Amino acid sequence: MTITATGLRKSFGDHLVLDGITLDVPRGTVFSLLGANGAGKTTTVRILSTLLAADAGTVRVAGHDLVREPDAVRAAIGVTGQFSAVDRLLTGFENLMLMADLHHLRRADGRRRAAELLDRFGLTDAAGKPVSTYSGGMLRRIDLAMTLVGSPQVIFLDEPTTGLDPRSRRDMWRIVRDLVAGGVTVLLTTQYLAEADELADRIAVLDGGRIVAEGSPEELKRRIPGGHVRLRFADPRGRDAASGVLEESFAESDPLALRVPSDGSLPALRALIGRLDDHHVDVDELSVHTPDLDDVFLALTHGKAHTR
Amino acid sequence: MTTMSLAARDSSTMLRRNLKRMIRYPSMTVVLIGMPVVFLLLFVYVFGGTMGAGLGGGRGDYIDYVTPAILLMTVMSAVQGTAISVAMDMTEGIITRFRTMHIARVSVLTGHVLGSMIQAALAVVAVLAVALLVGFRPDAGPLGWLAFAGFLAAVTFAFVWLCVGIGLASGSVETASNAPMPLILLPFLGSGFAPTDSMPAAVRWFAEYQPFTPIIETLRGLLMDRPLGNDPWIALAWCAVVALTGYLWSKRRFTRS
């Protein structure tokens, strides 16, 4: 295991942020922490990357104890956070050289590494421009390039694509896949199910500071019904009748609508419609929705988390 | 690599970073040098005649009297810049990155300290050049100049560390730019611009015991080649206290937050 965390707890004042997080990440894999804002993703990353001390729990990263050997952990990791960790007054090349110097690379090696990373991230043309002139996607790329200068074994990516346009997001996904192909271990946080699905070997769903589910994307999808069916009725009577028949259904913000977990397959739809017909419930509208993060939370937290 | 050589190497990397930032953001350096120059010209050409007469001479005598205070003000202006740039730096994401890296942590701060000392030295040279241009006539020999440079470096070192602490503690760039204001004003409440024996008793008492008076008297003595008495030792003792307080405070703030 490259990252092992056991029973991590953290409170800020009387606000409990992490309530016993345990996770194991094998070498050379991508582990994704999936959760909404405030679920505890960033706090977990801050603890694992030595920025924040946990109140309780033990962590080993790359074979080193986080509390006893923080410098050994720091030597093994690279962190790219939500907010760009770059020097805006320096150029892209100078930012990379700053990292090379701090990793004590020889001057020539540093230059070679910087040039190689600029090329790999498509930033060679912008190398001489101050980073303050970079676009959002370029900023994330130079940020990640800086993380890679020291060839870390473990990389923490905290919401690496939040706020990026679809194209830049796809670029970032490609970069992460290349990294893992090179043997690096990645811990990635995201609020997008699609991103976790795309990149992760294992996903932990984080909610209210606890891991409510963990598994491979396939395992989770099996546990989470593949999306939901939304039913809308002509009047409240129809809705009430339907919610009596369909015990697995949830209320929607629309008082005339119901949400029914379902994989959206033909047999499932046929069965659903059959049950409604059997009880003579009239449906005004029916629509099938593919899974999103809301469905994951609904299914895994039995609606408790769905208070938004 | 030993801890010490690691710290030295990382500090020199951070120093290079800070010097680059100063070059990219020159307006701060210009303001820091400009303010003491404006004060110098104001005191020489507006107040100089009257003040010189008060000293029993003329404008020329007052230039010689006030220049050491203006040079100290230059250093204080430069260290005010330190507080601002440290506070600015703390709002940047790159500091978070440094904290996750295996580097000598204190190098982030020593980079600022060394950068500010270089900036202050350049500012002092620039202000001194203006002073010579408007009629400052020091009597110091080569040894006196050397002692002057070393003493001013010690003063700068001490107050730079204090301002690193202010920059770390202030939490915003606005606070960091206002908090060091007393450092600019204190030379006025000492022997910087007028002899203390011309002041009312309470002010005189404060002026004679505050740290800037022995510092200014030492600078004046060295530049004008006059006997120094105890002033250098009192001044250096103050500097040691300020430096140590500033260093410990900064280190604690930086490792905690």
Side-chain angles (χ1 to χ4, degrees):
Chain A
M1 288 298 153
T2 297
I3 307 172
T4 316
T6 315
L8 282 188
R9 297 175 68 84
K10 181 73 191 174
S11 304
F12 293 113
D14 50 7
H15 178 54
L16 183 63
V17 182
L18 294 184
D19 187 9
I21 300 285
T22 294
L23 47 89
D24 291 302
V25 184
R27 184 180 306 277
T29 63
V30 180
F31 187 94
S32 176
L33 281 175
L34 176 67
N37 287 332
K41 302 189 299 290
T42 297
T43 306
T44 307
V45 169
R46 286 176 63 85
I47 291 174
L48 296 181
S49 61
T50 78
L51 283 171
L52 193 67
D55 297 339
T58 57
V59 179
R60 291 185 75 79
V61 178
H64 302 286
D65 184 273
L66 194 73
V67 178
R68 283 202 305 271
E69 310 161 273
D71 275 335
V73 171
R74 289 184 191 120
I77 65 171
V79 188
T80 294
Q82 280 180 62
F83 305 103
S84 27
V86 300
D87 190 323
R88 286 168 189 277
L89 292 181
L90 302 185
T91 66
F93 179 72
E94 286 169 338
N95 266 294
L96 292 173
M97 283 308 287
L98 174 64
M99 291 300 115
D101 289 342
L102 290 174
H103 282 105
H104 308 133
L105 299 186
R106 281 208 310 265
R107 205 81 193 142
D109 294 342
R111 281 174 185 283
R112 199 176 316 122
R113 185 96 180 108
E116 175 194 309
L117 285 164
L118 286 166
D119 180 50
R120 178 162 153 204
F121 287 77
L123 291 167
T124 305
D125 292 342
K129 295 197 184 103
V131 165
S132 54
T133 63
Y134 283 23
S135 71
M138 289 162 78
L139 268 179
R140 294 292 169 96
R141 295 209 299 275
I142 191 74
D143 198 333
L144 186 53
M146 286 168 73
T147 300
L148 297 182
V149 170
S151 310
Q153 303 169 42
V154 182
I155 298 179
F156 296 98
L157 297 173
D158 191 15
E159 303 201 15
T161 65
T162 298
L164 289 190
D165 60 55
R167 207 195 125 155
S168 305
R169 175 169 300 167
R170 297 221 159 255
D171 285 347
M172 194 56 96
W173 288 355
R174 182 181 51 77
I175 290 165
V176 173
R177 273 194 287 262
D178 289 349
L179 283 175
V180 179
V184 170
T185 308
V186 175
L187 189 139
L188 166 106
T189 77
T190 181
Q191 26 184 334
Y192 307 114
L193 182 63
E195 183 162 293
D197 195 5
E198 190 81 24
L199 296 173
D201 297 299
R202 288 185 76 76
I203 300 174
V205 180
L206 204 56
D207 181 47
R210 286 180 310 115
I211 291 177
V212 292
E214 193 193 324
S216 68
E218 285 66 35
E219 284 167 351
L220 279 184
K221 273 187 226 156
R222 237 174 283 138
R223 288 187 56 182
I224 305 161
H228 65 267
V229 170
R230 186 172 182 275
L231 301 172
R232 199 171 185 283
F233 303 90
D235 52 54
R237 245 175 0 122
R239 197 209 86 115
D240 292 344
S243 83
V245 174
L246 306 167
E247 284 169 1
E248 71 273 32
S249 64
F250 296 100
E252 282 258 315
S253 50
D254 179 348
L256 290 179
L258 277 182
R259 175 185 284 220
V260 188
S262 162
D263 61 6
S265 66
L266 265 178
L269 286 176
R270 203 176 285 131
L272 175 68
I273 294 166
R275 282 160 77 195
L276 291 168
D277 273 350
D278 289 348
H279 293 82
H280 309 289
V281 181
D282 283 332
V283 178
D284 211 28
E285 261 175 52
L286 180 150
S287 51
V288 178
H289 294 259
T290 48
D292 57 21
L293 198 55
D294 277 353
D295 295 300
V296 178
F297 282 132
L298 272 176
L300 293 172
T301 64
H302 306 288
K304 276 181 303 201
H306 195 71
T307 48
R308 278 178 292 162
Chain B
M1 218 183 295
T2 66
T3 319
M4 274 310 281
S5 73
L6 184 80
R9 188 165 179 180
D10 291 345
S11 296
S12 87
T13 301
M14 293 299 185
L15 170 62
R16 279 202 301 282
R17 163 173 183 257
N18 283 303
L19 292 178
K20 274 195 197 120
R21 288 174 64 88
M22 280 173 200
I23 295 167
R24 298 284 151 78
Y25 188 55
S27 57
M28 184 131 97
T29 312
V30 170
V31 169
L32 295 179
I33 297 175
M35 197 206 61
V37 168
V38 168
F39 269 87
L40 174 69
L41 299 178
L42 193 68
F43 274 91
V44 169
Y45 290 114
V46 178
F47 306 128
T50 312
M51 304 285 262
L55 291 174
R59 195 184 304 279
D61 298 295
Y62 192 64
I63 297 177
D64 289 346
Y65 185 83
V66 83
T67 299
I70 296 289
L71 293 176
L72 183 62
M73 184 188 260
T74 310
V75 169
M76 293 307 134
S77 174
V79 300
Q80 184 182 20
T82 311
I84 296 170
S85 57
V86 168
M88 262 169 65
D89 220 8
M90 292 305 129
T91 64
E92 296 243 16
I94 194 153
I95 296 296
T96 311
R97 180 188 292 281
F98 291 150
R99 284 177 202 277
T100 65
M101 292 174 69
H102 177 36
I103 57 173
R105 290 214 149 186
V106 79
S107 67
V108 177
L109 304 181
T110 47
H112 274 288
V113 169
L114 296 173
S116 293
M117 288 191 66
I118 291 173
Q119 193 176 34
L122 293 175
V124 166
V125 168
V127 174
L128 197 59
V130 177
L132 290 169
L133 221 59
V134 299
F136 177 51
R137 293 294 169 260
D139 303 317
L143 219 63
W145 279 108
L146 212 63
F148 163 80
F151 178 75
L152 204 56
V155 173
T156 310
F157 181 77
F159 284 91
V160 160
W161 270 114
L162 183 68
C163 280
V164 169
I166 292 174
L168 290 172
S170 50
S172 78
V173 178
E174 289 78 7
T175 318
S177 72
N178 293 330
M181 261 317 183
L183 298 180
I184 305 280
L185 292 176
L186 276 173
F188 287 94
L189 288 172
S191 65
F193 296 86
T196 51
D197 43 10
S198 65
M199 299 172 186
V203 182
R204 189 198 318 170
W205 184 87
F206 178 80
E208 280 171 2
Y209 289 99
Q210 65 121 325
F212 283 71
T213 297
I215 292 173
I216 290 166
E217 288 306 317
T218 305
L219 291 172
R220 200 171 271 148
L222 289 170
L223 286 173
M224 303 317 291
D225 199 19
R226 279 191 215 138
L228 296 163
N230 285 329
D231 285 327
W233 307 115
I234 300 171
L236 287 174
W238 273 112
C239 288
V241 170
V242 171
L244 198 65
T245 312
Y247 171 76
L248 293 175
W249 183 33
S250 305
K251 209 175 163 205
R252 206 171 121 229
R253 291 290 319 192
F254 189 67
T255 31
R256 191 180 59 188
S257 55

